């Protein structure tokens, strides 16, 4: 009878150890693949978002140039520092009756022209990349004696209400003339700043007898593709 073969316990243990190490390395290799794949996806996403942000910046710069051009060719002037439109013919002029929100008859024709030009501006700006907020903001000038003696209330509630009603009166006039600003992807906001507001003329108080038009673009975020172009 042949002698029974005995396995060397060293080689048995060594074989078990190498098998365990193989599985450990296999698990680590899989983890590394997952990690690399995730990092690659993060990098690609960041690249696509950066590319989209650059595209948005280009659109904003182009829009700024359009604002300047349109401000030169219409009854609305464009203040590039404050990024707002204003009626050129009405600066320093009280187009409303004193302490009322009724427009003086002699200014109605010019008000209508401003409404027409505003429609043309929104039409010219209209594209698939932007929606707009159209802010019609009323202001009020402080009377000279109050300004001189600093006796005015900057938060005069009546002036807030009056300037708001005047802005609303302008919008209602334009709407009565058939101007539907909303058809150019535009949201309408009526505002009254009274004696306040960042858009006030700090040098010539009489120039605050005006209304201000702000066209605020709301960017439609460019579609981010699944792969880098």
């Amino acid at each position: 009878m042949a002698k029974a073969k005995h396995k060397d316990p060293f080689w048995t243990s060594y074989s078990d150890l190498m098998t365990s190490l193989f599985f450990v390395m296999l698990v680590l290799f899989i983890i590394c693949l997952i990690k690399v794949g995730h990092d690659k996806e993060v990098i690609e996403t960041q690249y696509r978002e950066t590319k989209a942000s650059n595209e948005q910046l280009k659109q904003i710069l182009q829009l700024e140039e359009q604002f300047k051009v349109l401000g030169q060719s219409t009854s609305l002037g464009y203040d590039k520092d404050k990024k707002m439109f204003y009626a050129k013919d009405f600066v320093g002029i009280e187009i409303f009756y004193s302490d009322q929100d009724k427009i003086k008859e002699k200014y109605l024709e010019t008000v209508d022209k401003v409404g027409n030009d505003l429609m043309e501006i929104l039409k010219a700006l209209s594209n698939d990349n932007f929606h707009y907020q159209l802010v019609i903001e009323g202001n009020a000038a402080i009377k000279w004696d109050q300004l001189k003696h600093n006796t005015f209330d900057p938060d005069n509630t009546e002036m807030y209400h009056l300037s708001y009603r005047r802005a609303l009166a302008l919008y209602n006039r334009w709407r009565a003339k058939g101007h539907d600003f909303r058809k150019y992807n535009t949201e309408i906001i009526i505002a009254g700043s009274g004696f306040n507001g960042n858009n006030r003329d700090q040098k010539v108080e009489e120039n605050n007898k005006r209304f201000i038009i702000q066209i605020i673009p709301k960017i439609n975020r460019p579609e981010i593709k699944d792969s880098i172009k």
Side-chain angles (χ1 to χ4, degrees):
M1 186 180 210
K3 249 184 189 182
K5 293 183 179 179
H6 297 286
K7 291 183 179 180
D8 190 328
F10 170 79
W11 291 109
T12 301
S13 300
Y14 180 78
S15 176
D16 291 342
L17 176 63
M18 294 305 296
T19 301
S20 300
L21 286 174
F22 171 76
F23 280 111
V24 169
M25 293 302 296
L26 180 61
V27 170
L28 289 175
F29 177 72
I30 293 172
I31 291 174
C32 287
L33 284 179
I34 294 173
K35 175 65 175 173
V36 169
H38 173 71
D39 289 346
K40 182 174 181 290
E41 182 180 346
V42 169
I43 292 171
E44 288 182 353
T45 299
Q46 290 176 342
Y47 173 83
R48 292 193 295 269
E49 289 180 349
T50 300
K51 189 176 179 181
S53 296
N54 287 336
E55 182 62 29
Q56 291 174 352
L57 179 58
K58 290 178 183 178
Q59 293 172 9
I60 291 172
L61 292 175
Q62 290 171 358
L63 191 63
E64 180 74 11
E65 288 304 313
Q66 281 184 279
F67 280 174
K68 293 177 184 177
V69 172
L70 292 169
Q72 293 169 357
S73 61
T74 69
S75 61
L76 288 168
Y78 182 67
D79 186 323
K80 65 179 181 180
D81 295 324
K82 295 183 178 179
K83 302 187 184 304
M84 68 178 190
F85 288 95
Y86 57 91
K88 297 175 184 176
D89 295 335
F90 294 153
V91 174
I93 296 175
E94 180 62 87
I95 68 171
F96 294 91
Y97 288 103
S98 181
D99 297 324
Q100 297 182 40
D101 56 12
K102 183 179 179 181
I103 304 170
K104 294 177 181 177
E105 284 75 6
K106 65 180 180 179
Y107 295 122
L108 288 175
E109 185 177 344
T110 309
V111 166
D112 294 342
K113 185 178 186 308
V114 171
N116 292 335
D117 288 345
L118 187 53
M119 279 291 288
E120 290 302 315
I121 287 175
L122 290 173
K123 182 179 179 181
L125 293 173
S126 181
N127 63 65
D128 294 334
N129 295 323
F130 291 96
H131 283 68
Y132 300 96
Q133 284 184 339
L134 173 62
V135 181
I136 304 170
E137 179 186 357
N139 290 130
I142 304 167
K143 293 180 180 180
W144 169 245
D145 60 331
Q146 292 179 325
L147 185 65
K148 182 179 179 180
H149 298 98
N150 196 29
T151 56
F152 69 93
D153 178 5
D155 286 310
N156 188 310
T157 303
E158 291 182 4
M159 288 298 102
Y160 280 130
H161 292 172
L162 180 60
S163 57
Y164 168 80
R165 293 198 308 271
R166 287 179 169 179
L168 182 60
L170 288 168
Y171 174 66
N172 286 337
R173 173 72 184 183
W174 293 332
R175 191 175 59 160
K177 289 294 180 177
H179 297 320
D180 181 10
F181 302 124
R182 290 189 178 88
K183 74 178 182 179
Y184 295 120
N185 298 326
T186 301
E187 174 189 3
I188 312 300
I189 297 177
I190 310 298
S193 298
F195 294 148
N196 282 289
N198 292 330
N199 295 320
R200 292 183 69 81
D201 190 324
Q202 301 296 334
K203 296 180 180 178
V204 183
E205 185 60 31
E206 284 297 300
N207 287 349
N208 290 313
K209 292 179 179 179
R210 63 180 177 179
F211 59 89
I212 292 166
I213 303 294
Q214 287 184 296
I215 301 174
I216 303 172
K218 300 170 68 176
I219 298 174
N220 295 334
R221 186 176 180 81
E223 183 180 356
I224 297 178
K225 305 298 182 182
D226 292 333
S227 60
I228 300 177
K229 296 295 183 182

